[in-house]
Amino acid sequence: MSTTLALGLLVLGFAIIVALACYAWSLRKEVGRRAAFRRDEERRAQENGLENLGFVAAALAQRQVDVTEGAWRCKVLLEVIEPSLLERQEFQAFGEVYERTRHLHTHEARKALTAQQRFAEDKQRLAVEDEYRDAVLAAAQAALDFQARYPDSLH
């Protein structure tokens, strides 16, 4: 192999290594940018969830929404803020109402039911609401307290 060919291959190899290093560096920057974007999105979702939790919990505490609807909404918002929050004793009523009523039809599916079927589902829903009303109202107050002390209330 001639010296010129060897030197040319060495330069080519070095150029390939430099190009790959630049590409790897740009990919690393992109991963960092996307991670920052994801963290920012999660932070905004938590902030919006916390704000909406306050609205729903206040409406629930003031009996402006049904116990079932308020419990469902609070459950979802707590999951957005931090999924482990539903394991706390003060918020378990939200999850229990959800579990006991999640089989009930809503929106268009409810409209498709016969009057007798809707009545039967309403009867089930009202029974759950009667059973859990006090616990859900206490959980709503706990959610308001949680919101007032956030972020310290996370731990």
Side-chain angles (χ1 to χ4, degrees), residues 31-44:
V31 166
R33 187 190 67 75
R34 287 183 184 189
F37 179 77
R38 183 181 43 78
R39 284 190 305 272
D40 187 50
E41 286 294 310
E42 288 173 355
R43 182 191 52 76
R44 280 192 297 203

Side-chain angles (χ1 to χ4, degrees), residues 9-58:
L9 289 175
L10 181 65
V11 169
L12 178 64
F14 184 72
I16 290 172
I17 290 171
V18 168
L20 288 174
C22 290
Y23 181 63
W25 181 71
S26 70
L27 288 177
R28 184 175 172 94
K29 279 182 55 175
E30 179 65 18
V31 166
R33 187 190 67 75
R34 287 183 184 189
F37 179 77
R38 183 181 43 78
R39 284 190 305 272
D40 187 50
E41 286 294 310
E42 288 173 355
R43 182 191 52 76
R44 280 192 297 203
Q46 283 181 334
E47 288 173 357
N48 289 339
L50 187 65
E51 181 180 358
N52 289 329
L53 179 66
F55 293 141
V56 174

